[in-house]
Amino acid sequence: MKLGKVEFCHFLQILALFLCLSGMNQAELSRSGSKPYFQSGRTRTKRSWVWNQFFVLEEYMGTDPLYVGKLHSDVDKGDGSIKYILSGEGASSIFIIDENTGDIHATKRLDREEQAYYTLRAQALDRLTNKPVEPESEFVIKIQDINDNEPKFLDGPYTAGVPEMSPVGTSVVQVTATDADDPTYGNSARVVYSILQGQPYFSVEPKTGVIKTALPNMDREAKDQYLLVIQAKDMVGQNGGLSGTTSVTVTLTDVNDNPPRFPRRSYQYNVPESLPVASVVARIKAADADVGPNAEMEYKIVDGDGLGVFKISVDKDTQEGIITIQKELDFEAKTSYTLRIEAANLHVDPRFLSLGPFSDMTTVKIIVEDVDEPPVFTSRLYSMVVSEAAKVGTIIGTVAAHDPDASNSPVRYSIDRNTDLERYFNIDANSGVITTAKSLDRETNAVHNITVLAMESQNPAQIGRGYVAITILDINDNAPEFAMEYETTVCENAQPGQVIQKISAIDKDDPPNGHQFYFSLTAEAANNHNFTLQDNKDNTATVLTRRNGFRRQEQSVFYLPIFIVDSGSPSLSSTNTLTIRVCDCDADGIAQTCNAEAYILPAGLSTGALIAILACVLTLLVLVLLIVTMRRRKKEPLIFDEERDIRENIVRYDDEGGGEEDTEAFDMAALRNLNIIRDTKTRRDVTPEIQFLSRPTFKSIPDNVIFREFIWERLKEADVDPCAPPYDSLQTYAFEGNGSVAESLSSLDSISSNSDQNYDYLSDWGPRFKRLADMYGTGPDCLYS
């Protein structure tokens, strides 16, 4: 019988395992036959037991302890005088030894993947003396591996990507499985890979785990993701081996293998002619099945009659072509435009040029719709000039506007008064002629910017706007004057011919060739002996002294009239007075004191100091008066009342009570004094103007002795009654008095009486006694019978 190669390998493995188990179970330490020997100066004892490594299979599942091996010493005669002990890793907890026979057993299940071997020490002792009869020796128990661990993908599940349209054999990703079994013993850790799901698109290398493409031209646009299941099996994939699986998600990445294509060959859009420049007319998009950069494209207008009117750009987010207006549309000039637009990919892959041109063309027709447009001026800005001397009604210029629509509606003009608040100008509503409405002044406003409105006669809502700049031409209508307010001084020690001031002039006018001013003294001042004027011929003049010996005591101020003439046509002039003060100067000519009064003031306090002292004295007097007044007001009471009864605060009104059921309108003052009611107390903190509203101080009321005596009796009883209400409380009594014509109308006594009096007459007393008539009447509906 012939064995195959695989069967023969299995047979050899089984035979080797059997031999190892047999040798392992028979291993023991045996005493050698050699005897100790002695050497001069040193004694050496030869080791007296020989042993081998012990082997034990992992994952033993039996109920009895697993026999590992036997220790034996030739000193042991079998009479029980020798005992064996075990120490080291796992001694007593995992491995035990029979101290009489030396047999070693494993009491727990062992796992090579947790610990591959144990190092122990053996010792033979004399049982009586408990002393070693042999030197301690170390040995190893190795755990022999079995195939009890399946391969595991520690990095799974996997995700990977591969470009679409990749050729067969393109590497995608490598998967790796690990097996915890012993790789040096048998095939327990030898792994083989295979693919369980994902054919026929992908394959895997059995030994390396590299996944590769198995089909050409896989198209992402058809299917962009695949789920693979990879298996790793140990024992070189043989039957009985353990296996593990993992999943691999493979995504096809995009390449530019699809050209852009317009869904339609032509498009048409309608736009109103009033659409502003830069407005969007339309959005078109060429379809591209690719994504990302491979779908990016550009659009351009390659032909058509709207090349200068429209432009197209691309929206980076949506890859749409955006058509916008570059120039204003005019239905009356052109009613439609035709554009030839091309869309092309930006990034073309040379590998796929054979699939066709990566661009496409379409036609876009734009129809311009007519709208009612506002009037249009012939110029965006009109420039006009007018002299400031122009009379009211002078024509300045003309503006013109027309209706651009086919109807050519007449136009009426007006001025936007928000731009001409002072109403300097008017415009003829029909002709557009602008005229002056008021006198103009260039010095007030040199340029007027106004807005002219043009509106259609048939549709006033359509308003066009034109802008007019009116420049005011200058005339010589302002006389020259000093450029500033001069503060001129002359020293008392000034010498003749000394310059004391240089003056200049200004003119609000603006002559074309600039200003030219002429300075001179007036005729009455030309021959004065104090000062003279020199024209410098450069629009300035110099004031000089004619003498010396100026004295403040004699004259402290001089007034010098100066005549200034401009060069306008006709020329204008003005007389300006220069004020010159005489001052006391130091050696450098700097003015120190210019007031004549200061010269004659006696030595002592200055005027300012005296005024300050006087102000302080007045302030102190006012404060003292205020304090005294406030103290006097605190000493006086607020109310003119010597008795000052503060226990009650009764407010009296001139209103009538509501009958005997009204108990809310009693006045406590009436209860305390039936003869006199005091009026509201006059307060010092109330202004006298409102005191006229107070009632007279005393008011007499009818004196009724019966009621007065009744109330006084009740008050006396309340004063001595400790259970009575507080003093300022209101008490009411059901006392009606005597002598009434109708006698007592109270129902309190009537109810308790047995009177047979007839009360039918109450019904004749009117509606006020209707309720009493119903209660005491003898009618059929009487309450009491």
Side-chain angles (χ1 to χ4, degrees):
M1 176 178 173
K2 295 183 179 180
L3 295 175
K5 188 176 296 184
V6 175
E7 289 80 0
F8 182 70
C9 291
H10 288 174
F11 174 74
L12 290 178
Q13 290 177 354
I14 294 172
L15 180 61
L17 181 61
F18 174 76
L19 292 176
C20 289
L21 290 174
S22 300
M24 179 177 58
N25 292 332
Q26 297 298 325
E28 63 179 23
L29 294 177
S30 60
R31 177 76 171 166
S32 67
S34 58
K35 300 217 175 172
Y37 65 92
F38 298 89
Q39 185 176 354
S40 174
R42 181 180 297 176
T43 302
R44 180 178 184 273
T45 304
K46 187 176 181 181
R47 185 174 295 276
S48 58
W49 48 355
V50 179
W51 54 276
N52 293 319
Q53 289 182 342
F54 294 138
F55 295 89
V56 60
L57 281 175
E58 66 171 335
E59 304 295 344
Y60 172 72
M61 305 299 293
T63 58
D64 298 329
L66 177 63
Y67 181 74
V68 177
K70 185 180 182 66
L71 295 179
H72 183 72
S73 174
D74 56 359
V75 179
D76 188 0
K77 304 301 183 180
D79 55 0
S81 61
I82 301 299
K83 69 175 181 178
Y84 300 92
I85 61 173
L86 198 62
S87 63
E89 293 180 303
S92 301
S93 59
I94 299 176
F95 302 102
I96 59 175
I97 187 171
D98 189 328
E99 64 177 15
N100 296 320
T101 63
D103 293 334
I104 301 174
H105 291 80
T107 60
K108 294 183 179 180
R109 181 178 64 86
L110 303 176
D111 188 356
R112 188 201 67 83
E113 286 71 37
E114 293 181 0
Q115 188 165 345
Y117 63 90
Y118 296 86
T119 302
L120 296 98
R121 293 180 296 277
Q123 181 80 61
L125 302 177
D126 186 283
R127 187 177 297 272
L128 295 177
T129 63
N130 204 31
K131 293 183 179 180
V133 297
E134 298 287 350
E136 185 181 54
S137 182
E138 187 177 79
F139 65 97
V140 175
I141 298 177
K142 286 192 174 181
I143 311 303
Q144 193 167 10
D145 185 47
I146 64 173
N147 189 19
D148 60 341
N149 290 279
E150 73 278 2
K152 294 182 180 180
F153 293 91
L154 301 180
D155 297 329
Y158 295 85
T159 57
V162 63
E164 63 175 331
M165 312 300 286
S166 295
V168 176
T170 301
S171 177
V172 179
V173 68
Q174 183 178 15
V175 296
T176 303
T178 58
D179 195 319
D181 293 326
D182 190 359
T184 63
Y185 178 77
N187 296 322
S188 299
R190 296 182 61 185
V191 177
V192 174
Y193 300 93
S194 61
I195 184 167
L196 301 182
Q197 178 181 323
Q199 301 96 338
Y201 305 103
F202 298 94
S203 62
V204 63
E205 287 286 339
K207 294 183 179 180
T208 62
V210 176
I211 300 174
K212 299 180 179 180
T213 57
L215 282 182
N217 301 327
M218 286 190 290
D219 191 2
R220 184 198 65 84
E221 289 71 33
K223 185 177 181 181
D224 63 345
Q225 199 171 80
Y226 297 85
L227 181 63
L228 282 61
V229 178
I230 305 298
Q231 175 183 268
K233 191 173 184 180
D234 58 14
M235 298 299 293
V236 202
Q238 299 176 7
N239 292 334
L242 303 178
S243 63
T245 60
T246 188
S247 63
V248 181
T249 302
V250 179
T251 302
L252 296 183
T253 58
D254 186 55
V255 298
N256 193 6
D257 58 339
N258 293 281
R261 292 289 180 264
F262 284 105
R264 297 163 56 183
R265 292 293 90 193
S266 64
Y267 298 85
Q268 180 173 317
Y269 299 96
N270 294 346
V271 295
E273 62 173 333
S274 60
L275 202 64
V277 174
S279 298
V280 176
V281 174
R283 287 175 174 262
I284 61 175
K285 184 177 182 180
D288 193 330
D290 297 320
V291 294
N294 297 318
E296 293 180 358
M297 60 188 76
E298 62 178 352
Y299 297 86
K300 58 183 177 180
I301 302 175
V302 296
D303 197 8
D305 56 0
L307 284 173
V309 181
F310 302 93
K311 71 174 183 178
I312 189 169
S313 58
V314 62
D315 187 329
K316 299 297 184 181
D317 296 328
T318 62
Q319 297 301 315
E320 291 178 308
I322 305 174
I323 303 175
T324 55
I325 301 175
Q326 278 187 299
K327 295 182 179 180
E328 292 183 353
L329 302 178
D330 189 357
F331 173 82
E332 289 71 25
K334 191 172 181 62
T335 60
S336 65
Y337 296 89
T338 301
L339 307 175
R340 289 283 294 168
I341 297 178
E342 179 188 56
N345 277 138
L346 288 177
H347 312 288
V348 179
D349 195 333
R351 296 176 299 171
F352 306 105
L353 289 176
S354 60
L355 298 179
F358 282 79
S359 63
D360 196 18
M361 302 281 292
T362 190
T363 301
V364 177
K365 187 174 184 180
I366 299 175
I367 306 299
V368 180
E369 297 177 342
D370 187 24
V371 297
D372 191 5
E373 299 176 88
V376 178
F377 284 87
T378 56
S379 176
R380 293 182 60 86
L381 177 63
Y382 294 88
S383 297
M384 302 178 184
V385 294
V386 63
S387 173
E388 65 176 328
K391 297 181 179 180
V392 175
T394 302
I395 296 176
I396 302 174
T398 303
V399 296
H402 69 281
D403 183 7
D405 299 320
S407 60
N408 194 18
S409 175
V411 176
R412 294 183 61 83
Y413 302 95
S414 63
I415 294 177
D416 185 356
R417 292 304 175 183
N418 291 324
T419 61
D420 184 24
L421 297 176
E422 300 294 332
R423 296 181 176 268
Y424 285 109
F425 308 99
N426 288 329
I427 188 171
D428 188 275
N430 298 316
S431 63
V433 175
I434 300 176
T435 58
T436 58
K438 294 173 67 175
S439 297
L440 304 176
D441 186 8
R442 188 204 65 84
E443 288 72 34
T444 302
N445 192 354
V447 178
H448 294 265
N449 294 301
I450 63 174
T451 300
V452 178
L453 307 178
M455 63 183 67
E456 295 182 11
S457 299
Q458 298 178 359
N459 185 7
Q462 295 296 330
I463 301 175
R465 285 174 169 78
Y467 303 97
V468 181
I470 302 176
T471 302
I472 310 301
L473 299 179
D474 185 45
I475 63 171
N476 191 23
D477 58 345
N478 291 278
E481 58 187 13
F482 277 158
M484 58 181 292
E485 291 290 337
Y486 293 102
E487 295 182 359
T488 306
T489 60
V490 60
C491 295
E492 289 182 317
N493 57 357
Q495 299 300 319
Q498 181 175 337
V499 176
I500 62 172
Q501 185 69 58
K502 185 175 183 181
I503 60 174
S504 61
I506 57 173
D507 193 331
K508 295 180 181 179
D509 296 322
D510 187 18
N513 298 324
H515 290 288
Q516 181 63 48
F517 301 115
Y518 304 96
F519 301 87
S520 64
L521 296 177
T522 59
E524 56 270 19
N527 297 322
N528 78 91
H529 302 289
N530 300 314
F531 305 99
T532 185
L533 182 70
Q534 178 181 336
D535 192 341
N536 298 325
K537 307 300 182 181
D538 59 354
N539 291 338
T540 64
T542 303
V543 179
L544 303 92
T545 58
R546 278 188 171 183
R547 66 178 180 89
N548 58 2
F550 292 95
R551 294 289 181 269
R552 285 177 293 166
Q553 297 87 341
E554 298 175 359
Q555 186 174 352
S556 61
V557 180
F558 293 89
Y559 298 98
L560 185 65
I562 298 176
F563 188 69
I564 308 175
V565 183
D566 63 15
S567 58
S569 179
S571 62
L572 297 178
S573 62
S574 66
T575 299
N576 298 263
T577 301
L578 182 67
T579 302
I580 304 173
R581 297 183 181 277
V582 180
C583 299
D584 179 25
C585 302
D586 58 12
D588 297 328
I590 299 176
Q592 299 296 318
T593 303
C594 297
N595 294 328
E597 293 81 1
Y599 183 80
I600 61 175
L601 280 177
L605 294 175
S606 63
T607 304
L610 292 175
I611 293 174
I613 293 173
L614 182 60
C616 292
V617 172
L618 291 176
T619 303
L620 291 175
L621 289 175
V622 171
L623 289 175
V624 170
L625 289 175
L626 287 176
I627 293 172
V628 171
T629 303
M630 292 180 64
R631 287 185 176 179
R632 292 186 62 186
R633 287 179 62 87
K634 288 182 179 180
K635 291 179 180 180
E636 296 179 1
L638 294 178
I639 300 176
F640 291 106
D641 189 3
E642 296 179 356
E643 297 179 356
R644 298 187 64 191
D645 189 354
I646 62 173
R647 293 173 296 176
E648 54 183 327
N649 185 13
I650 304 300
V651 180
R652 180 165 55 80
Y653 302 93
D654 287 334
D655 57 350
E656 297 182 358
E660 69 177 318
E661 294 183 358
D662 185 2
T663 61
E664 301 296 331
F666 285 99
D667 188 355
M668 286 296 296
L671 296 179
R672 299 201 175 278
N673 193 334
L674 298 179
N675 293 323
I676 298 175
I677 300 175
R678 288 189 178 272
D679 201 346
T680 305
K681 302 297 186 296
T682 302
R683 295 175 57 95
R684 290 184 179 271
D685 58 345
V686 178
T687 57
E689 287 77 4
I690 64 172
Q691 293 182 3
F692 70 90
L693 296 177
S694 303
R695 296 182 179 86
T697 307
F698 298 101
K699 181 178 180 182
S700 298
I701 62 174
D703 186 10
N704 193 315
V705 178
I706 298 174
F707 288 104
R708 185 171 66 251
E709 291 179 354
F710 175 81
I711 293 175
W712 280 117
E713 290 177 0
R714 296 298 180 270
L715 287 175
K716 292 178 181 179
E717 292 176 0
D719 290 339
V720 299
D721 186 1
C723 298
Y727 173 78
D728 55 353
S729 64
L730 181 64
Q731 302 183 49
T732 60
Y733 303 95
F735 178 69
E736 299 179 357
N738 298 322
S740 174
V741 177
E743 296 184 354
S744 177
L745 299 180
S746 174
S747 60
L748 300 177
D749 296 334
S750 301
I751 295 176
S752 59
S753 67
N754 296 323
S755 176
D756 295 332
Q757 184 179 352
N758 185 4
Y759 296 101
D760 292 339
Y761 61 87
L762 293 175
S763 59
D764 299 332
W765 287 10
R768 293 188 177 183
F769 298 90
K770 184 177 183 302
R771 184 171 182 81
L772 289 175
D774 293 339
M775 296 174 60
Y776 296 96
T778 57
D781 298 330
C782 183
L783 182 64
Y784 298 97
S785 59

